[in-house]
Amino acid sequence: MSELPAWLAPIRDGARTITARDLSRFVPPDDAEARPGAVLMLFGEGPAGPDLLLTERSHQMRSHPGQVSFPGGGVEPQDDGPVAAALREAEEETGLDPRGVEVLGTLPELWLPPSNFAVTTVLGWWREPSPVRVVDPGEVATVLRVPLAELLDPTHRFTVVHPMGYRGPGFAIGPDKDLLLWGFTAGLVSRLLDHVGLTEPWDESVERTLPDRMVRVRQDGAR
């Protein structure tokens, strides 16, 4: 097993102390029969240095076309818990070899009210990187390894404004910085980086309105 890189140690340690309320105001209520879900927050070291694995949903999907997110989905009966589910989903979506992933822990369970998912984020270190690709174009449009330096760059950060009142952190990502990372995934990234002290000051007054196609999908209420 390879030694954990120095830059990742604070993230691993921070994940052990962060609370659900540090990450979101939405936690699964005691009386809700939420569906269990899991996502993989996988850090690696790519050609541009430390990075994070993300996917862009197919633009043909009925719900959230073009949405950028962590690999993941529902926990199935055959899964041995959320860790197994997150690794399985990552393999199915990106072709990732889960044998090369060292699981560092999990973040507190969070709730997605529109879809009633109770989501566990699995934190991983890409100890032995494997090639990744779009496995099913009907589900995934792009597989991205986003450099951590780009996520931390204040010029790539802004506040996303939804016409229904939502305001939250956003990131411009991708080779041309034309992809929008926002919502649940952006909130997790932003608040974890805040918690571990890696965030660089950025101007929250810079705003971008959510594109119309994403507004329409969000109002559908389905995922």
Side-chain angles (χ1 to χ4, degrees):
M1 183 177 295
S2 59
E3 184 178 353
L4 199 69
W7 61 266
L8 186 54
I11 297 175
R12 175 203 59 195
D13 296 343
R16 295 172 178 171
T17 60
I18 201 166
T19 68
R21 295 297 181 185
D22 291 327
L23 291 168
S24 173
R25 61 191 178 92
F26 294 111
V27 297
D30 295 335
D31 59 350
E33 295 183 0
R35 295 179 290 172
V39 297
L40 181 63
M41 190 180 207
L42 182 62
F43 290 93
E45 285 190 332
D51 60 20
L52 185 62
L53 182 68
L54 295 168
T55 64
E56 178 194 13
R57 285 171 63 89
S58 168
H59 291 226
Q60 308 307 315
M61 297 287 283
R62 176 179 176 275
S63 63
H64 307 300
Q67 184 98 345
V68 176
S69 61
F70 301 121
V75 178
E76 302 295 342
Q78 70 270 21
D79 294 321
D80 185 17
V83 171
L87 293 173
R88 174 185 55 76
E89 287 281 352
E91 182 177 15
E92 292 176 358
E93 293 179 11
T94 72
L96 169 103
D97 186 346
R99 294 174 296 182
V101 175
E102 180 179 340
V103 174
L104 303 179
T106 59
L107 299 183
E109 191 177 58
L110 300 177
W111 187 39
L112 297 180
S115 55
N116 195 30
F117 266 106
V119 179
T120 298
T121 301
V122 177
L123 185 68
W125 157 234
W126 211 349
R127 177 171 37 82
E128 297 178 5
S130 53
V132 288
R133 68 193 188 284
V134 174
V135 176
D136 182 356
E139 292 190 5
V140 175
T142 313
V143 176
L144 303 153
R145 295 190 65 168
V146 182
L148 196 57
E150 292 185 10
L151 292 170
L152 293 171
D153 187 336
T155 63
H156 300 154
R157 303 202 60 180
F158 44 85
T159 297
V160 174
V161 180
H162 190 291
M164 294 182 68
Y166 168 87
R167 299 174 63 87
F171 301 79
I173 65 171
D176 299 320
K177 301 300 174 287
D178 57 349
L179 296 179
L180 172 62
L181 172 60
W182 75 289
F184 174 80
T185 305
L188 276 178
V189 172
S190 180
R191 288 165 194 136
L192 180 59
L193 295 178
D194 286 349
H195 184 73
V196 301
L198 291 178
T199 301
E200 299 178 17
W202 59 284
D203 189 352
E204 296 184 32
S205 69
V206 176
E207 299 180 350
R208 292 193 188 181
T209 302
L210 201 63
D212 287 344
R213 63 180 177 81
M214 291 188 174
V215 172
R216 288 195 297 271
V217 169
R218 293 292 293 187
Q219 290 177 340
D220 284 346
R223 180 180 176 182

